Amino acid sequence: MQTLLITNTDKQNIEIAAKLIKEGKLVVMPTETVYGLGANALDREAVTNVYKAKGRPMDNPLIVHLAKADDAEKYAHTSELYYKLAERFMPGPLTVILPKKDVIPYEVTCGLETVAIRVPSNGIAHTLIELSGCPIAAPSANLSGRPSPTSFEHVIEDMNGRVDAIIDGGRCDVGVESTVIILKDNSAEILRPGLITYEELKDVIPDITVNEAVKNQCTSSKPASPGMKYRHYAPSSPVYLVDGDDERIIAFFKEKQRNENCGILCFDEDAKYLNKTNLLTFGGHFDEEKQAHELFDMLRKFDSMTVDAIYARLPSDKGVGLAVYNRLIRAAGFSIIKV
Ligand code: AMP
Ligand code: MG
């Protein structure tokens, strides 16, 4: 398939992409989190093609992207709590799972009676949704299992020739996918952490919990969020997370660099103690937002190095750190080395 690359994002060009969406075609759009592989959410065939283009399992549902929060009325059963969240966090990197209405086909939700709703703040995504006049179902625009794309170049690597168009929006601001929460009466549960943190959400919903699978391997055959059970975000070499105090971790990395052909993913402060070969940093020790911004780019960079293993620092599990922790622990297949 010939993929139209849209690098000039003037309104006329977004109009072309919107027309493709209306015709049931696939368009990759930038969002503030990661790039999304979009299709008209009301078109069953287009939605099915999204799974095919990604190689995504047919039991991992898609997020429906809307131009404004109250458009959710058309597609889902909303609540007072939804609007409280919308007022504070939409548009932005928050996905809310609500009971679906009949217009949303089961191809989007993988047979579930709920639908995931998000209102992106990225201007290009917003214009595309508005001009196409339909809700856009979009998962991250990576091949299934690979790190999510946070730049146009990442999307080209995975999707050129597999979709109808790709819009260049430069680097994504956030770098990790949206926070996903499911609402129940007056409580909520975080299914996937993101830039919008547990602490911020607790301000609006005092009764909020974090699903067990956010930090641990999901053992249930029927997880709250199907995406939880898949190995994810993985570069081609195995990743091992390393936990312990700073000095011991540095000593461990040094020993690995002497004895193995390995890659190291560390904090900025660690780099001065280590050999620069196959070494990548992903932000300061306490700069979780930078770590989130850099993570997927760094995981992809290891694929252009020929290393047998990647040793990475375990991030904090507080604030935005929890989002980084959640992605890295999946990239590592849940293996943590304690030193
Ligand atoms: P991605 O599209 O790659 O950002 O992943 C979307 C995430 O949202 C996956 O982890 C899905 O399993 C999750 N998700 C989408 N729809 C639902 C739903 N109705 N219920 C629970 N999780 C959902
Ligand atoms: Mg994804």
Side-chain angles (χ1 to χ4, degrees):
M1 175 192 294
Q2 178 78 19
T3 300
L4 173 69
L5 302 181
I6 302 177
T7 51
N8 171 334
T9 57
D10 288 352
K11 198 168 170 196
Q12 311 90 280
N13 287 337
I14 305 301
E15 198 105 49
I16 294 170
K19 189 160 169 279
L20 290 171
I21 292 279
K22 271 189 260 188
E23 289 167 356
K25 303 280 174 45
L26 304 185
V27 176
V28 175
M29 62 176 177
T31 83
E32 68 277 22
T33 57
V34 302
Y35 277 78
L37 167 45
N40 178 353
L42 306 179
D43 180 333
R44 290 165 193 275
E45 201 179 312
V47 170
T48 304
N49 287 334
V50 169
Y51 294 85
K52 288 188 189 150
K54 275 193 67 123
R56 185 176 177 103
M58 290 298 291
D59 64 351
N60 192 7
L62 311 183
I63 294 172
V64 173
H65 295 73
L66 306 176
K68 48 187 200 323
D70 51 14
D71 286 345
E73 271 334 306
K74 296 183 234 166
Y75 312 111
H77 297 282
T78 60
S79 61
E80 211 177 301
L81 192 49
Y82 168 78
Y83 282 104
K84 261 194 186 168
L85 288 166
E87 199 179 313
R88 174 101 176 250
F89 300 112
M90 291 184 187
L94 178 69
T95 296
V96 181
I97 294 171
L98 297 167
K100 81 176 201 67
K101 287 191 174 168
D102 290 342
V103 281
I104 294 291
Y106 285 116
E107 282 78 358
V108 171
T109 69
C110 299
L112 297 175
E113 294 302 335
T114 50
V115 60
I117 299 282
R118 176 162 120 73
V119 181
S121 62
N122 177 287
I124 297 171
H126 178 83
T127 308
L128 180 69
I129 300 164
E130 210 161 52
L131 293 177
S132 66
C134 58
I136 296 186
S140 52
N142 51 288
L143 288 173
S144 195
R146 294 208 74 206
S148 299
T150 56
S151 72
F152 183 59
E153 292 71 27
H154 296 164
V155 180
I156 298 283
E157 274 171 26
D158 282 18
M159 289 297 156
N160 201 7
R162 303 179 73 91
V163 295
D164 297 284
I166 302 174
I167 306 174
D168 182 358
R171 292 257 342 234
C172 299
D173 289 340
V174 178
V176 291
E177 306 86 342
S178 57
T179 305
V180 177
I181 66 171
I182 185 160
L183 302 186
K184 305 159 186 171
D185 300 329
N186 278 315
S187 66
E189 187 178 28
I190 297 179
L191 303 183
R192 178 174 73 184
L195 182 76
I196 294 175
T197 61
Y198 165 81
E199 292 81 0
E200 285 174 285
L201 289 162
K202 198 169 171 62
D203 228 28
V204 181
I205 317 169
D207 189 5
I208 188 163
T209 52
V210 179
N211 188 282
E212 225 192 324
V214 163
K215 284 181 66 178
N216 303 294
Q217 187 149 25
C218 180
T219 47
S220 160
S221 62
K222 242 185 150 216
S225 183
M228 287 170 164
K229 65 182 185 216
Y230 293 106
R231 181 162 186 255
H232 246 118
Y233 317 120
S236 42
S237 308
V239 179
Y240 301 93
L241 283 172
V242 187
D243 189 21
D245 68 38
D246 290 354
E247 269 173 46
R248 280 171 185 248
I249 292 174
I250 301 290
F252 176 89
F253 284 162
K254 279 187 168 164
E255 191 224 289
K256 289 293 174 194
Q257 286 191 315
R258 272 195 303 274
N259 300 319
E260 289 181 24
N261 171 35
C262 64
I264 302 284
L265 180 63
C266 64
F267 299 138
D268 295 349
E269 296 86 342
D270 306 333
K272 58 179 177 289
Y273 304 108
L274 297 163
N275 187 323
K276 299 295 169 284
T277 311
N278 298 335
L279 176 89
L280 296 175
T281 61
F282 70 132
H285 197 153
F286 304 103
D287 189 351
E288 285 89 10
E289 288 191 22
K290 178 81 184 297
Q291 292 166 22
H293 187 259
E294 297 297 307
L295 179 68
F296 290 140
D297 189 37
M298 294 307 153
L299 290 179
R300 277 177 183 259
K301 283 208 165 92
F302 281 116
D303 280 345
S304 60
M305 303 173 182
T306 43
V307 293
D308 302 325
I310 298 160
Y311 297 98
R313 283 206 65 150
L314 187 74
S316 151
D317 61 0
K318 299 287 177 308
V320 179
L322 184 62
V324 185
Y325 186 106
N326 168 267
R327 303 319 188 270
L328 256 177
I329 197 147
R330 279 170 170 72
F334 299 90
S335 57
I336 300 181
I337 302 171
K338 300 247 184 223
V339 295

